[in-house]
Amino acid sequence: MDRILIEGGTVLTMTGRADVFADGVVLVEDGRIAYAGPREGAPAAPEARRIDAAGKIVMPGIVNTHCHAGTTLIRGYGDDLRLMEWLETRVWPAEAKMTAEDVYWGTALAAYEMLSGGITTFLDMYFPADPVARAIQDTGIRGIVARGIIAVGGPSEALSRLEESREAFHRWNGKAGGRITFMVGPHAPYTCPPDTLLACAELADELGIGIHIHLSETAGEVEEARRQWGKTPIRHVYDLGLMKGRRVVAAHCVHADDDDIAILAETGTGVCHCPVSNLKLASGRTPVSKMRRRGVAVGFGTDGASSENMLHILGSEMRIGAIQAKELEGDPALFTSYDALSMATIEAARVLGMEAEIGSLEPGKRADIILIDTERPHLTPNHDIFALVAYSALPSDVAMTMVDGRIVYENGQLTQADGKEILARVREAAARVVQA
Ligand SMILES: [Zn+2]
C-alpha cells in the first residue's frame, strides 16, 4: 500500500468553520484520504512517506467549475474590444486555424497554470474533445470534458459534434485512474436551437452524464431570449425539460431573476460564478448571495484565459468574487471568507456533483490536496486563516499540488509533464494561429 503522511501544517478540512487543525495530520492511502485532523487520534503510519508541512496550510485542491482551457492560445489577443468585434475579428479566425495538436498544448498550458495555483479539478468546455482529454491525462490534473456544441451552421453541425462527444466519452471516460470524466456541452440557448438542446439531453441520458451550458451571461442575451421565446434563457431551458432529472451545470447566470433562481434551486442546477470575466466583459454582477440563500450551489470558475486572462481562483476569482459579493449586498458581514473558500472547494464540488469524491479532506475521498506556504509577508500574521486564504493568498504561494495522492506540481514545476516544452509549444502555436 502506498502511504503518504502530511504533517505539521495547519489543516483546513473544509468540513466546517471550526475544523482548523494547527499541527494537523493528513494520511493518504493509495490515492485516497485515510485521515485528516488533529495529531491526537491520527493513525500511526511508521512506513509512510512523510511530507513536512510546517509553516504551510494544508487544504483541499481548488475546483474550477468553468473553463475554456484551450483559449490560453489567444490569451491577451484583442482584450479591449467589444464582444462581437472581438469574436469576429480575433477569436473565431484564430480558432479556425487551431489544430488538435494546438488545442492539446493550449490545454496542457492551462493545466500547468491551474496546478501551479492549486486548482486540481476543472470543468472544460472546448473542442475537440480528444486533445483536451489527452492533456488532462498527461499533466496529472482532474478534468471534466464538455465538448462545446453549437448549431449556428445548421443541424448537421450539431449532429457531428454530438457524435464526436459520444465517441470521446467511450474512448476516454474514467481513464487516467478516473481523472477524466465527461458532460455534454451545448454552448448556450442562443447558439443551440431547441432541437439541438433536446438532442444534447438525450445524449446525456444515454451516457448517464450531466450537461454544461452557458445561461444568462449578458443583459442582451436575456433581452433577445424574451423577444424570441417570451421568456428568460433559464426559463426557456427549464420549459424544454433540460433540467428535469439530470444534472445541469450552468455558467454565469449573471442576469438570473427571482423566478430563474427558484428554477435553479428547484432543479438542483449548479452555478459557475466567474466574477472576473463578468467584470472585465462588463456583463454585470451575479446575485451570488441571493442564490446561495435560496439553496443554489455556486462555485467559482475562471472562464477562459481569453476573457479572464489568469486561470487562478486564489488571489483572483475568490478574492474579487468575495469583495464583489459584499459590495452587492451592501453589507460586508453577509459574505464571509469561509463562504469564499467553500465556493472554491466543497460547494464547487457540489456544483459538479462530485462532492462524494472531492472538495474536502475527509476519509474515503480522493487525495486532491494543496499546500500553501505562509512564510510570506502578505500572509503574516495569521489572525483568521480563512481570511488569509480568501483575501491575501496568491497562486504563487502554492508550494505543492497533489491529485489522487500523486504530487503533480512542486517547487514551481510540473512533475508529470515538461513545463518548458509546454511553454515553447504554446508560443509557437499562438504565433501561428493569429497570423493573417
Ligand atoms: Zn464560458
Side-chain angles (χ1 to χ4, degrees), residues 68-331:
H68 309 281
T71 62
T72 51
L73 292 166
I74 46 171
R75 183 194 332 251
Y77 180 54
D79 265 32
D80 301 325
L81 300 175
R82 295 201 176 87
L83 182 67
M84 281 325 286
E85 188 188 2
W86 176 60
L87 289 174
E88 284 170 2
T89 68
R90 304 293 172 97
V91 177
W92 292 338
E95 286 183 338
K97 288 192 207 125
M98 284 179 201
T99 64
E101 201 58 13
D102 295 338
V103 171
Y104 170 80
W105 290 109
T107 307
L109 177 67
Y112 181 7
E113 183 178 357
M114 288 190 273
L115 290 170
S116 77
I119 292 171
T120 49
T121 296
F122 72 114
L123 168 51
D124 195 59
M125 182 190 286
Y126 211 58
F127 56 89
D130 257 321
V132 175
R134 197 152 52 84
I136 293 168
Q137 169 187 261
D138 294 351
T139 53
I141 200 166
R142 184 184 310 287
I144 306 164
V145 184
R147 200 275 184 225
I149 292 166
I150 55 170
V152 286
S156 66
E157 186 182 17
L159 282 179
S160 70
R161 285 163 183 184
L162 282 163
E163 189 46 38
E164 192 211 316
S165 301
R166 181 186 283 111
E167 283 171 12
F169 172 88
H170 289 303
R171 206 165 19 248
W172 287 100
N173 186 54
K175 292 282 163 63
R179 285 189 288 110
I180 303 172
T181 52
F182 280 78
M183 286 192 186
V184 180
H187 171 262
Y190 62 89
T191 48
C192 293
D195 58 337
T196 301
L197 292 175
L198 292 173
C200 287
E202 237 170 73
L203 180 64
D205 292 350
E206 175 194 322
L207 304 178
I209 58 180
I211 289 176
H212 185 34
I213 188 168
H214 294 88
L215 291 174
S216 296
E217 179 174 358
T218 64
E221 176 193 339
V222 177
E223 223 170 87
E224 180 59 25
R226 284 193 191 280
R227 200 185 55 74
Q228 207 174 341
W229 304 300
K231 47 184 115 167
T232 68
I234 292 171
R235 168 60 70 179
H236 169 63
V237 161
Y238 175 79
D239 285 350
L240 282 173
L242 217 71
M243 290 164 161
K244 278 192 198 92
R246 63 182 72 83
R247 173 161 304 280
V248 174
V249 179
H252 302 302
C253 303
V254 176
H255 296 278
D257 62 19
D258 286 354
D259 175 57
D260 291 332
I261 294 173
I263 288 173
L264 298 172
E266 176 203 320
T267 56
T269 298
V271 171
C272 321
H273 178 40
C274 311
V276 179
S277 165
N278 298 152
L279 272 166
K280 183 153 168 275
L281 297 174
S283 299
R285 301 179 298 172
T286 309
V288 172
S289 295
K290 197 193 250 187
M291 287 177 180
R292 296 177 77 236
R293 275 196 295 273
R294 299 195 183 162
V296 179
V298 185
F300 286 118
T302 57
D303 214 347
S306 58
S307 40
E308 206 276 14
N309 300 66
M310 292 200 298
L311 300 180
H312 289 306
I313 287 180
L314 267 184
S316 189
E317 305 298 333
M318 204 191 311
R319 174 179 153 82
I320 292 166
I323 291 168
Q324 189 188 53
K326 290 170 183 288
E327 188 268 343
L328 191 58
E329 291 287 302
D331 183 344

